[in-house]
Amino acid sequence: LLISVLLFMDWKPPAKIVVGGITGATLLAVLLTYSRGALVAFVASLLFLAIPLRRWQPILGVGLLTLALVGGLQAWGTPWATHLEMVAEPDQDASLLDRFRLWKGSVLSLEDRPLLGVGPRNFKYLDHERYGFKQMSHAHSLFFNVIAERGLLGFLSLMALFGCYAYEGMRRWPSKDSLSTVLWHAAM
């Protein structure tokens, strides 16, 4: 939303500087909390905005800001350097490896209950030893959680919901109005 506001709203430079500062602070928070999912979403949203609009200069600016933040954190040293090194070496990250085991266990649980899964909020009752993961209350992923708890029917229903949302979003491609464009990008 913030990047879309920077790109499309016709505000005066002081307002854009404030929004740019908030965008930078948000990006810094994403980097400092070591959220890989948020980083992937951030990069995906940049590409989503840049490719159809063919406006690379603001995206390049955000990319350079990201590199500057990463370089600054790396130069600052520990503990931030450790987080950045873990992104480069995912096979050393115990948390990521545990998640991969959870996700694999979610898919393996389909063998026992393929259509309806184990039931809502019952992931914690899966035989974690049989499926090879630590006991957790959820799979740390909406998609894998739905696969385990609601089976293939639930997963296909979720995909149909997202498909309908994307179809309606594309069907309602934004008008030339800046606010409509910003809100459309935020919704997508």
Side-chain angles (χ1 to χ4, degrees):
L1 175 63
L2 293 172
I3 295 168
S4 189
V5 167
L6 279 174
L7 288 173
F8 297 107
M9 294 304 286
D10 297 324
W11 291 343
K12 294 182 178 171
K16 285 210 172 203
I17 290 171
V18 169
V19 174
I22 293 170
T23 303
T26 302
L27 178 58
L28 182 63
V30 165
L31 289 171
L32 293 179
T33 57
Y34 183 51
S35 173
R36 282 180 297 271
L39 283 173
V40 169
F42 186 76
V43 170
S45 66
L46 287 178
L47 290 174
F48 178 77
L49 288 171
I51 291 172
L53 301 173
R54 295 180 180 90
R55 292 183 69 184
W56 293 96
Q57 297 87 356
I59 305 305
L60 183 62
V62 172
L64 291 174
L65 172 67
T66 304
L67 288 176
L69 287 172
V70 168
L73 290 173
Q74 190 70 22
W76 190 335
T78 56
W80 314 122
T82 306
H83 289 311
L84 295 173
E85 289 168 7
M86 292 300 269
V87 171
E89 299 177 25
D91 58 330
Q92 302 296 317
D93 187 354
S95 173
L96 183 61
L97 295 174
D98 284 341
R99 287 180 190 221
F100 284 151
R101 287 186 200 103
L102 279 169
W103 300 341
K104 182 180 176 185
S106 295
V107 173
L108 290 175
S109 72
L110 282 176
E111 292 175 1
D112 295 331
R113 298 172 186 259
L115 288 179
L116 299 175
V118 295
R121 293 183 293 279
N122 283 332
F123 186 86
K124 59 188 165 197
Y125 300 120
L126 280 175
D127 188 355
H128 61 280
E129 291 175 2
R130 177 177 176 198
Y131 299 122
F133 61 87
K134 293 180 183 177
Q135 187 170 10
M136 295 278 191
S137 62
H138 59 283
H140 287 279
S141 165
L142 171 68
F143 302 103
F144 289 106
N145 216 61
V146 169
I147 284 173
E149 292 184 349
R150 291 162 179 91
L152 289 175
L153 290 177
F155 181 72
L156 292 174
S157 298
L158 179 66
M159 292 296 99
L161 174 72
F162 285 147
C164 289
Y165 187 85
Y167 172 77
E168 281 298 312
M170 298 311 265
R171 195 172 69 84
R172 299 172 191 265
W173 189 266
S175 64
K176 299 296 180 195
D177 175 30
S178 295
L179 182 60
S180 297
T181 303
V182 168
L183 293 175
W184 184 86
H185 280 110
M188 292 311 285

